[in-house]
Amino acid sequence: MTALDHYLKDKRPFLESVFNAIQNGVIVLDQDFTIVRTNRWMEKKYASQMPLIDKKCYDLFRNGKGACSKCPYTVSLDTGKPHIEVVPYPSEQNPTGWFEVSMFRLEDDSGKVMGAIGHVKDITEHKNEEKQKEILETH
């Protein structure tokens, strides 16, 4: 059991209810990029890769090719501040959609960094609308 798992143990039923009520993705990572919790949205989006727990986040977002060049998780851990990046889905090589990934550093009660929690929002429709607008404006 990781330090993060131990910290969340007593809070798990409440947190799982909250996570599963959110209509976007929620992902909790430890300091080694390992997924320790997700919500149902993430499980549905990545159903073909279940189970998600104990996998590295980059196995989902980058097909196992290591951390993103502008990894919001790494930036959030390093700076202590929330960080947002737009990432292609399902991969950089073959994007069919776009996620806005917001990461927030997680600390225990004493301030020790335990990992991060991420919010994953599918912004594909918005990106497609922007692209259509650009096309219309150039013609």
Side-chain angles (χ1 to χ4, degrees), residues 70-86:
K70 295 180 184 177
C71 177
Y73 173 67
T74 302
V75 173
S76 182
L77 281 184
D78 291 346
T79 65
K81 297 178 182 177
H83 188 74
I84 300 170
E85 280 295 329
V86 174

Side-chain angles (χ1 to χ4, degrees), residues 16-17 19 23 31 35 40 45 47 49 52 56 60 63 76 79 83-84 86 110 121:
E16 286 183 20
S17 295
F19 284 4
Q23 298 302 301
Q31 289 182 311
I35 299 167
R40 286 191 186 119
K45 192 61 106 172
Q49 297 183 48
L52 302 180
K56 302 294 185 186
L60 294 183
N63 295 324
S76 182
T79 65
H83 188 74
I84 300 170
V86 174
S110 68
K121 182 176 180 181

Side-chain angles (χ1 to χ4, degrees), residues 12-112:
R12 189 165 289 150
F14 170 73
L15 288 174
E16 286 183 20
S17 295
V18 171
F19 284 4
N20 289 324
I22 297 170
Q23 298 302 301
N24 290 305
V26 177
I27 186 168
V28 180
L29 307 171
D30 70 11
Q31 289 182 311
D32 296 321
F33 297 84
T34 303
I35 299 167
V36 295
R37 293 285 174 267
T38 63
N39 69 341
R40 286 191 186 119
W41 188 94
M42 291 294 292
E43 292 169 356
K44 287 178 185 177
K45 192 61 106 172
Y46 291 99
S48 66
Q49 297 183 48
M50 289 294 291
L52 302 180
I53 305 302
D54 294 329
K55 287 186 177 176
K56 302 294 185 186
C57 64
Y58 47 77
D59 288 336
L60 294 183
F61 296 119
R62 294 187 30 94
N63 295 324
K65 295 186 175 150
C68 304
S69 59
K70 295 180 184 177
C71 177
Y73 173 67
T74 302
V75 173
S76 182
L77 281 184
D78 291 346
T79 65
K81 297 178 182 177
H83 188 74
I84 300 170
E85 280 295 329
V86 174
V87 297
Y89 168 82
S91 69
E92 288 178 299
Q93 299 77 23
N94 187 25
T96 59
W98 299 91
F99 287 156
E100 180 180 84
V101 180
S102 306
M103 281 290 175
F104 306 86
R105 188 163 82 175
L106 272 177
E107 300 174 356
D108 67 12
D109 294 335
S110 68
K112 179 183 175 189

